[in-house]
Structure formats: C-alpha cells, structure tokens
Amino acid sequence: MVYVKRTFAYMFRALGVLALVCLPAAVVLGIFTKPMASLSYLPAYAHTYVKSFRDVFWLVFNRYATKYVYPLFLILASLVFSTSLAMSVIEKHFRVGKIMLKAPLKQINVYFLPVLLSYCVLAFVLFLYGAVQTGMITLLHFIVSGKGYPSALNLVLAAVIGCGLFAGALALSCSAMYWTPMMVIYGFAFGDATASSLRLIDQKRGAILFGLLLPYVLVAVVQSFVSLLLVPWLRTAIAVLLYLFLIIYLITYIMVSMFDLSGMERRDGKKKWGEVNGGV
C-alpha cells in the first residue's frame, strides 16, 4: 500500500507535465481500443449470440485495430513516445529535484530502445493471454449453453476466468516493468535486466502486485459501465481519460517503486537550503 500512496502523491505533484506527455498515447488508445477490454467485454458478451470462437475473439480483441493493423503501429509508436519521455522526466526529477521538459527528443532517445523492446515482449504476452482466455470462454460457452446467448453461469465463469487469468498473467510478468529502468539506469543488457528485476521484487512481490492490480480493477469496473453508453463520442472521451490515468499511474508506479526497492536516493521531495533555513 505504501507504493500506491507514494505513487498518487507524486502523480498529483507532477500531474500537469505527466498529463501533457502521456496524452498522445491515451488519445490513440482511446480512439482505437477499449480500456481493459479483456474484462470489460462482459456486458457485451451477455447480449452476444455466440456461434463460434470468432464471436468471442472479437469481444476480447478490437476488431478494427486487429483487422487493419495500422492502428496497432500507431498505438505502439505513441506508447513508446509517451513512456520514454515520461520515464526520462521522472528519473531526472528524482535525481536532481527539479521537473524539466527540455530537449524532449534527447530525453526520448535515452529510453527509446529499452521501452520498445519491453513493449514488443509484453505485446506478445498480452496476445497469448487474450487468445487463451478467448479459447477457454468459448469452450465453456458451448459446454454450458451451446450455440446462442450465454447463460448466467457462463457470465459468472467468464468473469472468474477473466479475473483469474489476468491476475495470474500480471503476477508472472510484474518483474517486466523494471526491465526498462534497469537497462537505462544501470546499463544492463536485456538478459541481465530480466534476472535482476526478478531479484529486485523477490521480497515484496505481494505488495508490488497489489499496487499493479489496483488501477486495472478500477478501470475495468468503470469501463464496464461506460460500455453501456449509447453515445460513441462520450465512450471515446471517457476511454481517453481512463487510459490517461492508467498510463500516468503505471509509469509513476514503476519509477517510484524502482527507486525504493533499489535503495536509490530521491531528491524530488527534499527542500532547498534556503527553504530549510527560512530563506525566501
């Protein structure tokens, strides 16, 4: 819980800069996808006449983005841009005690390759997770209800399986969020960063996992209600806001917990000499 409190505390302090940096990725994601679609699809599933695996697949995966492919590249590019710049800004703030947004292209370049590599690996994991979930939900649907609309039991099973798989996938891959800062801050190669990140979270895996699950749960609950709205532009606007919150939280959480777990000193919360001594 301590990392969650520190994350929210820093988010509110640096919200203006972080929101500006993360907004491009949030807008692109909000336009082309739905937040936490692998869980928030349940209201739509309740009203879907399922004839095959394909019907469930398009509930979990965005049809337009997957079919036309180019949205996936736009999403990846915007995420790499926003994540690289946000991590660089936060790291400098932690190190020197001053938040700065100067020479953004140079700041992006520092984190670009590690962020890109991490996202490519995580994209594969997410696709595998979604495919496994789709297969299990489809199988249970035909066992319980056959061809047609899902029964109440199907909805309960889908919710349990979806939540269980997501929590399991997050638990298995939570160390991955430290790959990028370890490759940049310590200069580790990808393999070394992978091994070191596992050791880093070894003693506090439960606390770290709780802090990771919290924003996803909040977003999934809100998006489940938002998906019932009939006004498309309103759904998109809320999706952008949810993604903005999720991106800012996760990036901040990674950097806050990384500095704490590794014992690195933070200067962003320290008062200047003049402030300590009553100066103006």
Side-chain angles (χ1 to χ4, degrees):
M1 193 66 181
V2 63
Y3 294 140
V4 174
K5 292 179 180 178
R6 292 176 183 175
T7 297
F8 276 112
Y10 184 81
M11 283 173 60
F12 288 124
R13 286 168 50 204
L15 185 59
V17 172
L18 293 178
L20 179 65
V21 169
C22 297
L23 187 60
V27 170
V28 174
L29 282 164
I31 291 173
F32 291 113
T33 66
K34 295 183 297 182
M36 289 300 294
S38 61
L39 293 178
S40 61
Y41 75 92
L42 291 173
Y45 174 49
H47 300 91
T48 299
Y49 189 93
V50 177
K51 301 183 293 295
S52 66
F53 173 88
R54 182 178 180 180
D55 296 313
V56 179
F57 182 87
W58 290 129
L59 289 174
V60 176
F61 292 90
N62 183 276
R63 181 189 294 268
Y64 185 88
T66 306
K67 180 178 179 181
Y68 291 98
V69 181
Y70 81 88
L72 300 179
F73 288 101
L74 289 177
I75 290 169
L76 178 62
S78 63
L79 276 173
V80 171
F81 168 83
S82 292
T83 303
S84 300
L85 186 52
M87 282 189 163
S88 180
V89 167
I90 294 174
E91 184 198 340
K92 285 188 176 181
H93 191 194
F94 284 1
R95 287 185 178 278
V96 304
K98 184 178 181 181
I99 192 164
M100 297 178 289
L101 192 55
K102 296 180 180 179
L105 292 180
K106 184 178 180 180
Q107 289 181 281
I108 291 170
N109 186 57
V110 174
Y111 273 87
F112 177 78
L113 287 178
V115 168
L116 178 61
L117 179 59
S118 297
Y119 271 129
C120 288
V121 174
L122 289 174
F124 173 76
V125 173
L126 287 174
F127 177 81
L128 186 63
Y129 152 72
V132 170
Q133 180 185 11
T134 303
M136 293 180 68
I137 299 303
T138 304
L139 177 62
L140 288 172
H141 179 93
F142 283 103
I143 291 175
V144 176
S145 300
K147 185 183 295 186
Y149 294 101
S151 66
L153 178 58
N154 277 130
L155 295 174
V156 171
L157 291 173
V160 171
I161 290 172
C163 292
L165 282 176
F166 184 82
L170 202 60
L172 291 173
S173 61
C174 65
S175 64
M177 67 181 184
Y178 298 112
W179 294 347
T180 293
M182 281 193 157
M183 283 188 278
V184 174
I185 295 173
Y186 292 117
F188 288 166
F190 179 74
D192 294 330
T194 303
S196 296
S197 64
L198 289 171
R199 291 193 295 269
L200 184 71
I201 68 169
D202 187 50
Q203 299 299 319
K204 296 187 177 181
R205 183 180 290 270
I208 292 169
L209 182 58
F210 173 79
L212 276 178
L213 278 171
L214 180 62
Y216 287 114
V217 172
L218 293 175
V219 169
V221 171
V222 174
Q223 179 59 30
S224 295
F225 289 101
V226 170
S227 63
L228 301 176
L229 295 176
L230 299 178
V231 185
W233 69 264
L234 185 57
R235 290 201 305 267
T236 300
I238 296 175
V240 170
L241 293 176
L242 290 175
Y243 273 124
L244 186 61
F245 162 72
L246 195 58
I247 294 169
I248 293 175
Y249 177 94
L250 291 175
I251 293 174
T252 303
Y253 185 80
I254 289 170
M255 300 305 287
V256 166
S257 58
M258 168 72 186
F259 268 69
D260 183 82
L261 290 168
S262 60
M264 290 188 289
E265 181 185 13
R266 282 178 55 178
R267 297 180 178 272
D268 58 296
K270 292 187 175 182
K271 293 184 178 180
K272 297 180 180 179
W273 186 89
E275 295 173 335
V276 174
N277 291 274
V280 293

